[in-house]
Amino acid sequence: MGLTSFISGFVAPIFIIISPITSYADQTYSIHRTKSSAGFSLDIPLIMLVASILRIFYYPGAQFDTSLLIQAFIMIAIQIVLLKVALDHRPGPSSKGGDAATPFAGSREGEFGVSRPYNFWQWRSPKPYWQFLLYLFITLTAFELLLSPMPTLYALYSATIGYIGLSIEATLPLPQILSNYRSRSCRGFRVSVLASWIAGDAMKMFWFFTATSEIPWAFKICGIFQMCCDSFLGVQYLMYGDGDAGKIVKDHGIGLNGNAHAHALSARTPGSRTPRTEKDVRLGD
């Protein structure tokens, strides 16, 4: 019982606080190093930023454990960096296939029957991403100032944004699951991120149900759902692995860098090599 209390009261809160760094630092560095965010779903920063901002505004009404509040601030910081790096290193539209390298082209084309109004979070320019986050913050601040003098209405509002934020966070693995399903590959998605998600789920579940501090049931319900999704993502990684690199390049028109991209396209585009050249290569071998 002493060990359980120590883990629940000391180890778990620290793990929760630093989890944004342990979960996303490696992914951020990988994108920066390879100069490509191919295979990484930009919906992940969207989900975590919106969920974390809503959690911060949920705190005054719920007064949950401060570790979760600190985690939200750190998560916002790391996701802003991740979003910036991912936007800077997005694959450009390929010369053949047009939007084949555009993030979420499959969703826009209705591969899953999904169409986003105004190409939400699919913009080519980075500016609308930051504008959306700024407008969200300003809107929530205005509601906070407007409703806080009315306790009954504010309590309802606080609970609503809390459940919305946690529900959004619980959907975190879904964009990556769909991306993996489309490409039949987990290429571009770091196994370190997956491992940190699964380890984080285990620690969160332990802490949520053993902590003596206030943990609303909204956290527990959404945490269970997210744990199930992360486990399925782990199954996908076992099924697909990194997939076939040639298939990824062919399907998405992207490579690990600009030179690899150009080489892969020229090697796979009909007519890019004459039959005589290919014959000469085989004779050379």
Side-chain angles (χ1 to χ4, degrees), residues 57 60-61 139-161:
F57 283 93
T139 300
L140 290 172
T141 301
F143 275 109
E144 186 77 16
L145 297 175
L146 181 65
L147 298 178
S148 56
M150 299 174 277
T152 303
L153 189 57
Y154 180 75
L156 177 61
Y157 164 76
S158 178
T160 301
I161 64 171

Side-chain angles (χ1 to χ4, degrees), residues 2-256:
L3 179 61
T4 301
S5 299
F6 172 73
I7 295 175
S8 177
F10 182 73
V11 177
I14 293 179
F15 182 88
I16 294 295
I17 289 173
I18 66 173
S19 61
I21 299 174
T22 58
S23 296
Y24 297 102
D26 184 55
Q27 180 75 69
T28 304
Y29 175 72
S30 174
I31 294 174
H32 175 73
R33 178 174 54 84
T34 61
K35 307 300 182 185
S36 173
S37 58
F40 176 74
S41 174
L42 285 178
D43 280 343
I44 291 177
L46 168 66
I47 290 171
M48 295 311 302
L49 283 167
V50 172
S52 298
I53 292 171
L54 289 174
R55 184 189 297 186
I56 290 173
F57 283 93
Y58 177 43
Y59 179 78
Q63 294 293 313
F64 47 79
D65 193 283
T66 53
S67 299
L68 296 169
L69 178 64
I70 297 172
Q71 182 201 41
F73 281 107
I74 297 177
M75 183 65 77
I76 289 173
I78 191 69
Q79 291 298 329
I80 286 176
V81 174
L82 177 56
L83 178 60
K84 176 66 166 60
V85 172
L87 290 175
D88 286 346
H89 299 299
R90 282 184 299 177
S94 61
S95 58
K96 180 178 178 62
D99 289 338
T102 304
F104 314 115
S107 177
R108 185 167 61 250
E109 292 166 0
E111 183 174 343
F112 290 96
V114 176
S115 178
R116 300 191 186 190
Y118 306 105
N119 289 332
F120 178 73
W121 212 255
Q122 299 168 340
W123 309 296
R124 292 308 306 172
S125 171
K127 186 176 179 181
Y129 294 87
W130 308 115
Q131 287 178 329
F132 167 77
L133 295 173
L134 177 61
Y135 295 157
L136 175 63
F137 176 77
I138 292 174
T139 300
L140 290 172
T141 301
F143 275 109
E144 186 77 16
L145 297 175
L146 181 65
L147 298 178
S148 56
M150 299 174 277
T152 303
L153 189 57
Y154 180 75
L156 177 61
Y157 164 76
S158 178
T160 301
I161 64 171
Y163 273 93
I164 291 175
L166 292 168
S167 298
I168 291 173
E169 183 177 352
T171 66
L172 171 64
L174 296 182
Q176 193 65 50
I177 288 173
L178 295 178
S179 176
N180 294 344
Y181 176 79
R182 284 197 295 267
S183 63
R184 297 296 192 274
S185 169
C186 295
R187 186 177 179 87
F189 181 64
R190 301 285 291 180
V191 67
S192 59
V193 175
L194 174 61
S196 64
W197 282 3
I198 294 175
D201 290 336
M203 182 62 75
K204 281 194 299 184
M205 289 300 98
F206 173 81
W207 185 50
F208 285 171
F209 289 97
T210 60
T212 56
S213 55
E214 178 64 25
I215 307 291
W217 265 99
F219 282 92
K220 300 175 183 179
I221 295 172
C222 294
I224 292 172
F225 176 80
Q226 187 173 351
M227 181 178 64
C228 294
C229 292
D230 289 342
S231 299
F232 182 76
L233 194 55
V235 172
Q236 276 191 323
Y237 201 90
L238 293 176
M239 291 172 56
Y240 301 143
D242 283 342
D244 180 71
K247 182 178 186 300
I248 298 300
V249 173
K250 181 179 179 182
D251 288 348
H252 298 280
I254 51 181
L256 294 180

Side-chain angles (χ1 to χ4, degrees), residues 255 257-267:
N257 52 52
N259 293 332
H261 167 58
H263 175 74
L265 283 177
S266 64

